[in-house]
Amino acid sequence: MELLRSTIITDTINLSPAAKKATQLDISILELIEKTLPNPQLLREDVFSDIFKAKSDIKGFTVEQLLRKDLKIVPFSDKIQAAVPSTLLLAEELCEKSGELENLETIFNDFCQRYKSQSLIIIGTNQVRRDILFYHPEGQSQISKLINQITESLINYAEIDAKVDLEFKAPSSRCVLIKQGNITYTRKKILPIILNASSMVD
């Protein structure tokens, strides 16, 4: 029961109204669990803080390890798929972490090859900001068209409040960085929009 309590607290960002993740069911179950458990119980704030610190400890991680930490492979068609990692750094910060932009392009290429993906879509967050980095290896005009369609759809989706960062020092001309104004749009909410946009490309 304590584990379930911790899971609900973590997944809902401690029932944060700003995060908009908690449902009425989450609230009622959490209250029921807390009535069942013996007292004293750790404060919800302390539970969330302890788990968040453990999850956020990425000290010493390489760029490749950060990309693997929370990775989903998303198929767009029978022949095209994307590697979509969610990272505990902004994608922009991830690029800065590598130190050498030339080396980062190699990392991105190797990552796409390892996971048999034609594109890389990094969903970055640092809890107060969110961004999305799109990248595809050289020589894939079809993927370039796909990414253009996806980025256009995200920018036109008013609720996300997304804009292309024209000042971003990209590791490659095949990179596009989008900054989100609405940080409640996590990967779970972004992916359906991406998939819908990809279905519109011939």
Side-chain angles (χ1 to χ4, degrees), residues 2 16 36 49 74 77 128 133 153:
E2 288 182 357
S16 166
T36 306
S49 177
V74 179
S77 68
V128 295
L133 177 70
S153 293

Side-chain angles (χ1 to χ4, degrees), residues 110-169:
D110 290 347
F111 197 83
C112 287
Q113 186 173 7
R114 169 181 281 196
Y115 293 98
K116 298 179 173 62
S117 298
Q118 291 70 43
S119 63
L120 176 63
I121 304 173
I122 303 172
I123 312 290
T125 179
N126 65 2
Q127 293 305 305
V128 295
R129 289 188 293 155
R130 286 186 177 274
D131 63 11
I132 308 170
L133 177 70
F134 296 88
Y135 172 81
H136 69 88
E138 192 173 7
Q140 300 191 40
S141 57
Q142 184 181 3
I143 305 303
S144 178
K145 183 179 178 181
L146 174 63
I147 289 176
N148 287 341
Q149 179 62 50
I150 291 171
T151 55
E152 184 177 340
S153 293
L154 290 172
I155 291 167
N156 289 335
Y157 203 98
E159 195 172 340
I160 301 175
D161 188 19
K163 297 177 181 177
V164 174
D165 186 352
L166 299 176
E167 297 181 359
F168 172 58
K169 295 180 180 178

Side-chain angles (χ1 to χ4, degrees), residues 45-141:
E45 292 79 5
D46 292 339
V47 171
F48 178 76
S49 177
D50 290 347
I51 294 175
F52 179 74
K53 285 178 183 176
K55 287 178 65 177
S56 302
D57 186 6
I58 53 176
K59 185 179 180 180
F61 277 43
T62 65
V63 171
E64 198 266 345
Q65 287 170 333
L66 287 169
L67 295 178
R68 281 195 287 115
K69 193 172 188 295
D70 186 2
L71 173 66
K72 288 187 182 298
I73 303 299
V74 179
F76 291 140
S77 68
D78 292 338
K79 297 181 180 180
I80 299 174
Q81 65 181 19
V84 189
S86 180
T87 69
L88 293 171
L89 288 174
L90 291 173
E92 183 178 14
E93 294 171 335
L94 188 77
C95 292
E96 293 170 354
K97 179 180 174 65
S98 72
E100 297 181 9
L101 294 181
E102 296 82 3
N103 183 48
L104 189 61
E105 185 171 5
T106 300
I107 292 171
F108 285 174
N109 283 335
D110 290 347
F111 197 83
C112 287
Q113 186 173 7
R114 169 181 281 196
Y115 293 98
K116 298 179 173 62
S117 298
Q118 291 70 43
S119 63
L120 176 63
I121 304 173
I122 303 172
I123 312 290
T125 179
N126 65 2
Q127 293 305 305
V128 295
R129 289 188 293 155
R130 286 186 177 274
D131 63 11
I132 308 170
L133 177 70
F134 296 88
Y135 172 81
H136 69 88
E138 192 173 7
Q140 300 191 40
S141 57

